[in-house]
Coordinates of all heavy atoms in Angstrom, one line a residue:
P1 N 19.7 -16.7 5.6 CA 21.2 -16.5 5.7 C 21.5 -15.1 5.0 O 20.7 -14.6 4.2 CB 21.7 -17.6 4.9 CG 20.5 -18.1 3.9 CD 19.4 -17.7 4.7
D2 N 22.7 -14.6 5.2 CA 23.1 -13.4 4.7 C 23.1 -13.4 3.2 O 22.8 -12.4 2.6 CB 24.6 -13.0 5.3 CG 24.6 -12.6 6.7 OD1 23.5 -12.6 7.3 OD2 25.7 -12.4 7.2
D3 N 23.5 -14.5 2.6 CA 23.6 -14.6 1.1 C 22.2 -14.6 0.5 O 22.2 -14.5 -0.8 CB 24.4 -15.7 0.6 CG 23.8 -17.1 1.1 OD1 22.8 -17.2 1.6 OD2 24.6 -18.1 0.8
A4 N 21.1 -14.6 1.2 CA 19.8 -14.6 0.6 C 19.3 -13.1 0.8 O 18.1 -12.9 0.4 CB 18.8 -15.5 1.4
L5 N 20.0 -12.1 1.3 CA 19.7 -10.8 1.5 C 20.2 -9.9 0.4 O 21.4 -10.0 0.0 CB 20.0 -10.3 2.9 CG 19.3 -11.0 4.1 CD1 19.9 -10.4 5.4 CD2 17.8 -11.0 4.1
H6 N 19.5 -8.9 -0.1 CA 19.9 -7.9 -0.8 C 19.8 -6.6 0.0 O 18.7 -5.9 0.0 CB 19.2 -7.8 -2.1 CG 19.3 -8.9 -3.0 ND1 20.4 -9.1 -3.9 CD2 18.5 -10.0 -3.1 CE1 20.2 -10.3 -4.4 NE2 19.1 -10.9 -4.0
P7 N 20.8 -6.1 0.7 CA 20.7 -5.0 1.7 C 20.5 -3.6 1.0 O 21.1 -3.4 -0.1 CB 22.0 -5.1 2.4 CG 22.6 -6.4 2.1 CD 22.1 -6.7 0.7
Y8 N 19.6 -2.9 1.5 CA 19.5 -1.4 1.2 C 19.9 -0.6 2.4 O 19.1 -0.2 3.2 CB 18.0 -1.1 0.8 CG 17.6 -1.6 -0.6 CD1 17.6 -3.0 -0.9 CD2 17.4 -0.7 -1.6 CE1 17.1 -3.4 -2.1 CE2 17.0 -1.1 -2.8 CZ 16.9 -2.4 -3.1 OH 16.6 -2.9 -4.4
G9 N 21.2 -0.4 2.6 CA 21.7 0.1 3.9 C 21.8 -1.0 4.9 O 21.7 -2.2 4.7
R10 N 21.7 -0.5 6.2 CA 21.9 -1.4 7.4 C 20.6 -2.0 7.9 O 20.6 -3.0 8.6 CB 22.8 -0.7 8.5 CG 24.1 -0.3 8.1 CD 24.9 0.3 9.4 NE 25.2 -0.8 10.3 CZ 24.7 -0.8 11.6 NH1 23.8 0.2 11.9 NH2 25.0 -1.8 12.4
H11 N 19.4 -1.3 7.6 CA 18.2 -1.7 8.2 C 17.2 -2.2 7.3 O 16.0 -2.3 7.7 CB 17.8 -0.5 9.1 CG 18.9 -0.1 10.0 ND1 19.4 1.2 10.1 CD2 19.5 -0.7 11.0 CE1 20.3 1.3 11.0 NE2 20.5 0.1 11.6
I12 N 17.4 -2.3 6.0 CA 16.4 -2.7 5.0 C 17.1 -3.8 4.1 O 18.3 -3.6 3.7 CB 15.9 -1.6 4.2 CG1 15.3 -0.5 5.1 CG2 14.9 -2.1 3.2 CD1 15.0 0.8 4.4
A13 N 16.3 -4.8 3.8 CA 16.9 -5.7 2.8 C 15.7 -6.4 2.0 O 14.7 -6.6 2.6 CB 17.7 -6.8 3.5
K14 N 16.0 -6.8 0.9 CA 15.1 -7.6 0.1 C 15.6 -9.0 0.2 O 16.7 -9.4 0.4 CB 15.0 -7.2 -1.4 CG 14.3 -6.0 -1.7 CD 14.1 -5.7 -3.2 CE 13.0 -4.7 -3.4 NZ 11.7 -5.1 -3.1
I15 N 14.5 -9.9 0.3 CA 14.9 -11.4 0.3 C 14.9 -12.0 -1.1 O 13.9 -11.8 -1.9 CB 13.8 -12.1 1.2 CG1 13.7 -11.4 2.6 CG2 14.1 -13.6 1.3 CD1 12.5 -11.9 3.4
D16 N 15.9 -12.7 -1.4 CA 16.2 -13.2 -2.8 C 15.0 -14.2 -3.2 O 14.5 -15.0 -2.4 CB 17.5 -13.9 -2.7 CG 17.9 -14.4 -4.1 OD1 18.4 -13.5 -4.8 OD2 17.9 -15.6 -4.5
H17 N 14.8 -14.1 -4.5 CA 13.8 -15.0 -5.1 C 14.0 -16.5 -4.9 O 13.2 -17.3 -4.5 CB 13.7 -14.8 -6.6 CG 13.1 -13.6 -7.1 ND1 11.8 -13.3 -6.7 CD2 13.5 -12.5 -7.8 CE1 11.4 -12.1 -7.3 NE2 12.5 -11.6 -7.9
G18 N 15.3 -16.8 -4.9 CA 15.8 -18.3 -4.7 C 15.4 -18.7 -3.3 O 14.9 -19.8 -3.1
H19 N 15.6 -17.8 -2.3 CA 15.3 -18.3 -0.9 C 13.9 -18.4 -0.7 O 13.3 -19.3 0.0 CB 15.9 -17.3 0.1 CG 15.8 -17.7 1.5 ND1 16.6 -18.6 2.1 CD2 14.9 -17.4 2.5 CE1 16.3 -18.8 3.3 NE2 15.2 -18.0 3.6
I20 N 13.0 -17.5 -1.3 CA 11.6 -17.5 -1.3 C 11.1 -18.9 -1.8 O 10.2 -19.6 -1.3 CB 10.9 -16.4 -2.0 CG1 11.3 -15.1 -1.3 CG2 9.4 -16.5 -2.0 CD1 10.8 -14.8 0.0
R21 N 11.7 -19.3 -3.0 CA 11.2 -20.6 -3.6 C 11.6 -21.7 -2.7 O 10.9 -22.8 -2.6 CB 12.0 -20.8 -5.0 CG 11.4 -20.0 -6.0 CD 11.9 -20.4 -7.4 NE 13.3 -20.3 -7.5 CZ 14.0 -19.2 -7.9 NH1 13.3 -18.1 -8.3 NH2 15.3 -19.3 -8.1
G22 N 12.6 -21.6 -2.0 CA 13.2 -22.7 -1.1 C 12.3 -22.9 0.2 O 12.4 -23.9 0.8
L23 N 11.4 -21.9 0.4 CA 10.5 -22.0 1.5 C 9.2 -22.8 1.3 O 8.4 -23.1 2.2 CB 10.0 -20.6 2.0 CG 11.2 -19.7 2.5 CD1 10.6 -18.3 2.8 CD2 11.8 -20.2 3.8
E24 N 9.0 -23.1 0.0 CA 7.7 -23.6 -0.4 C 7.4 -25.0 0.3 O 6.2 -25.4 0.5 CB 7.6 -23.8 -1.9 CG 7.6 -22.4 -2.6 CD 7.6 -22.6 -4.2 OE1 7.6 -23.7 -4.6 OE2 7.6 -21.6 -4.8
A25 N 8.3 -25.8 0.7 CA 8.1 -27.1 1.3 C 7.8 -27.0 2.8 O 7.4 -27.9 3.4 CB 9.3 -28.0 1.1
K26 N 8.0 -25.8 3.4 CA 7.8 -25.7 4.8 C 6.4 -25.6 5.2 O 5.5 -25.0 4.3 CB 8.5 -24.4 5.3 CG 10.1 -24.5 5.3 CD 10.7 -23.4 6.1 CE 12.2 -23.5 6.4 NZ 12.6 -22.5 7.3
P27 N 6.0 -26.0 6.3 CA 4.5 -25.8 6.7 C 4.2 -24.3 7.0 O 5.1 -23.6 7.3 CB 4.4 -26.7 8.0 CG 5.9 -26.7 8.6 CD 6.7 -26.7 7.3
E28 N 2.9 -24.0 6.9 CA 2.5 -22.7 7.1 C 2.1 -22.4 8.5 O 1.4 -23.2 9.1 CB 1.4 -22.2 6.1 CG 2.0 -22.3 4.7 CD 1.0 -21.6 3.7 OE1 -0.2 -21.4 4.1 OE2 1.3 -21.2 2.5
G29 N 2.3 -21.2 9.0 CA 1.8 -20.8 10.4 C 0.4 -20.3 10.2 O -0.3 -20.5 9.3
K30 N 0.0 -19.6 11.3 CA -1.3 -19.1 11.4 C -1.5 -17.8 10.9 O -0.6 -16.9 11.2 CB -1.9 -19.1 12.9 CG -1.6 -20.5 13.7 CD -2.8 -21.4 13.3 CE -2.7 -22.7 14.2 NZ -3.9 -23.6 13.9
L31 N -2.5 -17.5 10.1 CA -2.7 -16.2 9.5 C -3.7 -15.3 10.2 O -4.8 -15.9 10.5 CB -3.1 -16.3 8.0 CG -3.4 -15.0 7.2 CD1 -2.0 -14.1 7.2 CD2 -3.8 -15.4 5.8
I32 N -3.3 -14.1 10.7 CA -4.3 -13.3 11.5 C -4.4 -12.0 10.6 O -3.6 -11.3 10.3 CB -3.7 -12.9 12.8 CG1 -3.6 -14.3 13.6 CG2 -4.6 -12.0 13.5 CD1 -2.4 -14.3 14.6
L33 N -5.7 -11.6 10.4 CA -6.1 -10.5 9.7 C -6.5 -9.3 10.7 O -7.4 -9.6 11.4 CB -7.3 -10.8 8.6 CG -7.8 -9.5 7.9 CD1 -6.8 -8.9 7.0 CD2 -9.0 -9.9 7.1
V34 N -6.0 -8.2 10.4 CA -6.4 -7.0 11.1 C -7.2 -6.1 10.2 O -6.6 -5.7 9.1 CB -5.2 -6.2 11.8 CG1 -5.7 -5.0 12.5 CG2 -4.5 -7.1 12.7
T35 N -8.3 -5.7 10.5 CA -9.2 -4.8 9.8 C -9.9 -3.8 10.8 O -9.3 -3.7 11.9 CB -10.3 -5.6 9.0 OG1 -11.1 -4.7 8.1 CG2 -11.3 -6.3 9.9
A36 N -10.8 -3.0 10.3 CA -11.3 -1.9 11.1 C -12.7 -1.5 10.9 O -13.3 -2.0 9.8 CB -10.3 -0.7 11.0
I37 N -13.2 -0.7 11.6 CA -14.5 0.0 11.4 C -14.3 1.0 10.3 O -13.3 1.2 9.8 CB -15.0 0.7 12.7 CG1 -14.1 1.8 13.1 CG2 -15.4 -0.3 13.7 CD1 -14.7 2.6 14.3
S38 N -15.4 1.6 9.8 CA -15.3 2.6 8.7 C -14.5 3.8 9.3 O -14.8 4.3 10.4 CB -16.7 3.0 8.4 OG -17.5 2.0 7.9
P39 N -13.5 4.2 8.6 CA -12.6 5.2 9.1 C -13.2 6.6 9.3 O -14.2 6.9 8.5 CB -11.4 5.2 8.1 CG -12.0 4.7 6.8 CD -13.0 3.7 7.3
T40 N -12.7 7.4 10.2 CA -13.2 8.7 10.5 C -12.0 9.6 10.7 O -10.9 9.2 10.9 CB -14.0 8.7 11.8 OG1 -13.2 8.5 12.9 CG2 -15.1 7.7 11.8
P41 N -12.3 10.8 10.7 CA -11.1 11.8 11.0 C -10.6 11.7 12.4 O -9.5 12.2 12.7 CB -11.7 13.2 10.8 CG -12.9 13.0 9.8 CD -13.4 11.6 10.2
A42 N -11.3 11.0 13.3 CA -10.9 10.8 14.7 C -9.7 9.8 14.8 O -9.0 9.7 15.7 CB -12.0 10.3 15.6
G43 N -9.6 8.9 13.7 CA -8.5 8.0 13.7 C -8.8 6.7 14.4 O -9.6 6.6 15.4

């Protein structure tokens, strides 16, 4: 909800500590990790 946001302009916001605590009872989704080979100047 809007009252759980701390806006930094129109396109950035922080999510309030209280709302984060309120999420703890919710089930968790699937976690996907993205990693890579050893980096090179080629990108």
Side-chain angles (χ1 to χ4, degrees):
D2 288 359
D3 60 6
L5 299 177
H6 299 277
Y8 284 68
R10 297 186 67 246
H11 304 121
I12 301 170
K14 282 188 168 290
I15 306 174
D16 187 76
H17 286 300
H19 188 76
I20 297 296
R21 286 193 299 271
L23 297 173
E24 291 177 2
K26 288 192 169 187
E28 293 190 345
K30 306 282 189 177
L31 181 59
I32 297 147
L33 173 67
V34 179
T35 183
I37 62 173
S38 302
T40 70

